[in-house]
Amino acid sequence: MNDADLHLRNSTYGLFVELGRAPTTEEVAITMGWTVVDVAAGWRRLHDTHALVLQEGVDEIRMANPFSAVPTAYRVNAAGRWWFANCAWDAFGILAALGVHGRIESSCPDCLDPILIEVKNEVPDQGELVFHCLVPARSWWDEIAFT
């Protein structure tokens, strides 16, 4: 990743946190002093290197791991906002990225029982948690939105 793309990635992530949602190409362009075309081209490069995930067919962010730009079953209350995570693992990642305590809410994909986890000082209030990935790690990027 070159310096310009690194700067774009950092600015995009910074705006995601500041706004509480995925920024638009226009918002990033204004912040960086770039054109919308340059931001979109940079986002496509970042998508190609797995630094973020774009919505299929458009220059809009779907995932800026650990943050999801679309509603998911993994909600995180942190830093005075609700966030969507891409998966259970990313829910913890949001708290780590923000460096805050928080609450994760989801449900068991098998039985649909609610899952509520409080995290304080980087420690979940439940020690018996298990994280399971149906897709092997080597195949995650084959269909990252499913994974």
Side-chain angles (χ1 to χ4, degrees):
M1 182 178 313
N2 64 38
D3 288 344
D5 285 350
L6 181 61
H7 181 54
L8 173 61
R9 185 189 70 178
N10 291 343
S11 294
T12 299
Y13 272 72
L15 274 174
F16 202 124
V17 171
E18 179 183 326
L19 299 170
R21 61 168 172 77
T24 64
T25 51
E26 292 83 4
E27 290 167 330
V28 174
I30 289 167
T31 298
M32 295 187 65
W34 288 17
T35 67
V36 169
V37 171
D38 289 337
V39 170
W43 279 0
R44 286 190 295 277
R45 287 190 304 276
L46 292 173
H47 173 89
D48 290 343
T49 61
H50 303 164
L52 55 76
V53 178
L54 295 176
Q55 296 279 12
E56 190 170 331
V58 294
D59 295 323
E60 295 175 2
I61 295 172
R62 179 181 175 118
M63 299 177 187
N65 293 331
F67 303 100
S68 175
V70 299
T72 69
Y74 308 95
R75 294 175 21 136
V76 179
N77 188 288
R81 289 193 166 124
W82 281 99
W83 307 88
F84 286 108
N86 301 299
C87 65
W89 186 259
D90 281 349
F92 289 97
I94 287 174
L95 298 172
L98 298 174
V100 298
H101 307 305
R103 177 184 175 98
I104 298 169
E105 296 185 3
S106 189
S107 60
C108 173
D110 181 49
C111 68
L112 302 179
D113 283 349
I115 298 172
L116 306 172
I117 304 164
E118 295 286 337
V119 178
K120 293 183 180 164
N121 299 317
E122 301 179 355
V123 177
D125 64 352
Q126 301 173 44
E128 69 281 357
L129 300 171
V130 175
F131 175 76
H132 174 75
C133 292
L134 180 63
V135 178
R138 70 180 173 277
S139 301
W140 286 356
W141 285 96
D142 294 348
E143 180 54 57
I144 192 63
F146 171 75
T147 302

